[in-house]
Amino acid sequence: MSRRGVIKDVVITPVAFHDMPLLNSVGVHEPWALRSIIEIVCEDGTYGLGESYGDSTHLGRLERAAGPIKGLTVYDTNAIHKICVESLTDDRSTGGDGMAGMVTTASVADKVFSPFEVACLDIQGKLAGLPVSQLLGGRVRDSVQYSAYLFYKWGGHPGEPDDEYGPALDPAGLIKQAHKIIDEFGFKAIKLKGGVYPPAQEVEAIKELRKAFPDLPLRLDPNAAWTVETSKWVANELKGIVEYLEDPAPEIEGMAAVAKDAPMPLATNMAVVAFSHLPPSILQNAVQVVLSDHHFWGGLRRSQTLASICAIWGMRLSMHSNSHLGISLAAMTHLASATPNLDYACDTHWPWKRRDEDVIADGALKWADGALVVPTAPGLGVELDRAKLAQLHQNYLDCGLTKRDDTTYMRKFQPDFSPKIPKW
Ligand SMILES: O=C([O-])[C@@H](O)[C@@H](O)[C@H](O)[C@@H](O)C(=O)[O-]
Ligand SMILES: [Mg+2]
């Protein structure tokens, strides 16, 4: 007889979907973004979904942890976390953070654990007839606001026609891009990915965005491309204009030095990316806003632990994003809906994805007025579309990429490009 909640199988499928040439401090996005889709299947046939990075190093780590998970139940998430930690004991591989090297290795075990935990919660919800938000304490908001995440970008990948967004290499291009995204989704906050052009140019872009969108909160994120001195200059220029400045300078010490003088809160998804980073950051008041991300903070419940620590120590919470598909968006939305102090508009790369390209069945995720409506069906509220999964897996096999590498791609077109930070 099959037993409820006992894990019979874990299936990990690498996938690839089209991406646009988005620029950042370490290079430019390649034509394909990689992800892994994690399916946990129980003895009674119930399945749960998780989504994570698609780099080969990370895939290897997921596979190593997956074997020993079989036979546990989906309620044994502490034991699953322990297995993830132990599976890394002899791990000598580097990289695989799916973020083009922008995050340290401090949170590797939490990165491996995260999609398994999300899939377990999906099944727990399905078996209980409850949405994941309910398992996390219940919704405090019925929809979750996201921000319009602007990027400097080329018109299209070199050698190809312009994509639907076209180029954005100056303030006018960014304003056009912002209008397009906001017209479609209704976002009520704007984030600009910086670290691409000299700081004065990016300051000017933010000032032009302020004129074009006088009522919307703004943010700028150069991914630690500036020295402490440059960061202080930018902070002063943008006083009263941005709601927070994200990762201006590298490392906790750099952020702390900037924070001493900055007239606005500093946010991070680079300096503080693991629980071990919190004490030194708090001691130095290095960051005032943590951009949580369940993919590297160890899943939804550990992200809520992070939220509690932030609440206790007077830090605020926002949410970080990488290129992702619908399973991640559903998980991010359940988490934000059930975390009272996650009250900034969250980041998402969703607008950069082709609307029809995903692994989930259509219709589960609905945008309204800049927000995603929290799914109320049991579990995450999204189901796999197996034909689409097969197509995106075929993309993965055909595209030839095995890791995210923005720098190498950029150097094909600008051989002297340097990803060194700080750059200015
Ligand atoms: O997708 C990108 O190019 C972003 O720069 C991403 O890799 C960052 O991790 C992220 O969005 C951030 O806020 O730093
Ligand atoms: Mg960031």
Side-chain angles (χ1 to χ4, degrees):
M1 201 181 85
S2 65
R3 294 167 296 158
R4 267 166 79 87
V6 176
I7 298 171
K8 191 176 92 185
D9 207 2
V10 181
V11 185
I12 298 162
T13 310
V15 297
F17 59 100
H18 289 89
D19 202 0
M20 297 189 207
L22 309 179
L23 298 161
N24 59 34
S25 65
V26 296
V28 58
H29 286 210
E30 293 177 85
W32 297 95
L34 308 182
R35 296 295 272 177
S36 50
I37 305 302
I38 287 78
E39 257 178 282
I40 289 186
V41 187
C42 290
E43 286 186 354
D44 68 358
T46 315
Y47 74 95
L49 300 173
E51 179 184 329
S52 187
Y53 311 103
D55 297 47
S56 56
T57 307
H58 186 63
L59 287 167
R61 290 175 180 146
L62 292 173
E63 290 288 358
R64 271 196 300 287
I69 288 173
K70 292 177 203 169
L72 294 175
T73 81
V74 295
Y75 305 102
D76 293 324
T77 49
N78 287 337
I80 294 174
H81 190 266
K82 189 160 175 269
I83 285 172
C84 293
V85 172
E86 287 169 357
S87 72
L88 291 164
T89 311
D90 297 321
D91 189 284
R92 299 279 175 272
S93 48
T94 54
D97 63 20
M99 295 175 69
M102 288 191 211
V103 156
T104 70
T105 51
S107 45
V108 171
D110 278 334
K111 277 191 204 112
V112 173
F113 172 63
S114 174
F116 297 127
E117 188 242 20
V118 172
C120 285
L121 289 174
D122 189 17
I123 296 171
Q124 288 182 28
K126 285 177 175 171
L127 293 177
L130 297 170
V132 165
S133 60
Q134 204 78 37
L135 304 179
L136 298 175
R139 293 197 299 278
V140 296
R141 43 188 78 88
D142 292 332
S143 61
V144 170
Q145 287 288 330
Y146 285 86
S147 61
Y149 194 165
L150 310 186
F151 278 83
Y152 288 106
K153 70 179 284 294
W154 297 333
H157 285 284
E160 288 181 17
D162 278 6
D163 56 47
E164 56 172 300
Y165 283 92
L169 299 166
D170 55 19
L174 291 171
I175 289 169
K176 191 169 161 223
Q177 183 186 100
H179 277 298
K180 178 171 164 52
I181 294 181
I182 291 170
D183 285 353
E184 180 176 352
F185 293 92
F187 294 129
K188 295 183 173 57
I190 295 178
K191 162 169 169 171
L192 172 61
K193 172 59 60 186
V196 176
Y197 291 113
Q201 265 174 263
E202 297 187 352
V203 163
E204 189 210 335
I206 288 287
K207 290 182 177 172
E208 291 300 316
L209 283 164
R210 164 52 67 242
K211 285 186 211 151
F213 299 92
D215 302 325
L216 299 195
L218 299 173
R219 310 160 187 176
L220 174 60
D221 174 14
N223 284 118
W226 307 330
T227 63
V228 167
E229 282 317 305
T230 303
S231 301
K232 287 183 182 176
W233 176 80
V234 172
N236 196 42
E237 283 291 310
L238 296 182
K239 182 176 177 181
I241 300 180
V242 291
E243 62 176 338
Y244 58 68
L245 193 54
E246 189 173 322
D247 284 311
E251 311 291 349
I252 291 173
E253 287 66 28
M255 293 290 276
V258 180
K260 282 202 177 86
D261 293 338
M264 71 285 285
L266 300 189
T268 188
N269 60 266
M270 294 178 76
V272 179
V273 294
F275 287 95
S276 59
H277 296 154
L278 287 165
S281 175
I282 291 168
L283 272 172
Q284 298 172 66
N285 190 23
V287 303
Q288 294 72 48
V289 182
V290 177
L291 279 97
S292 68
D293 180 332
H294 76 269
H295 303 89
F296 59 79
W297 281 97
L300 305 185
R301 289 206 172 114
R302 286 169 80 78
S303 296
Q304 286 193 309
T305 302
L306 168 67
S308 300
I309 295 171
C310 288
I312 292 165
W313 290 95
M315 294 178 289
R316 291 190 61 189
L317 259 191
S318 190
M319 194 188 275
H320 165 262
S321 152
N322 271 136
S323 307
H324 64 86
L325 294 165
I327 299 169
S328 281
L329 185 63
M332 289 153 73
T333 302
H334 281 283
L335 173 63
S337 81
T339 306
N341 58 333
L342 215 169
D343 51 4
Y344 279 111
C346 301
D347 289 349
T348 178
H349 281 57
W350 192 261
W352 299 109
K353 185 179 88 58
R354 290 187 183 175
R355 302 294 171 267
D356 58 349
E357 207 172 41
D358 212 313
V359 296
I360 59 167
D362 294 339
L365 301 178
K366 293 190 175 52
W367 289 98
D369 231 7
L372 197 87
V373 180
V374 186
T376 52
L380 289 173
V382 294
E383 296 297 336
L384 262 190
D385 179 322
R386 293 197 182 271
K388 290 185 184 177
L389 178 68
Q391 176 59 57
L392 268 61
H393 178 56
Q394 193 59 48
N395 292 345
Y396 174 82
L397 297 175
D398 295 343
C399 77
L401 301 180
T402 54
K403 64 174 183 172
R404 177 176 169 187
D405 188 351
D406 300 14
T407 303
T408 303
Y409 186 51
M410 177 61 116
R411 283 183 176 151
K412 280 191 187 169
F413 316 107
Q414 290 178 23
D416 61 348
F417 177 82
S418 166
K420 176 177 97 56
I421 56 168
K423 201 175 281 186
W424 290 285

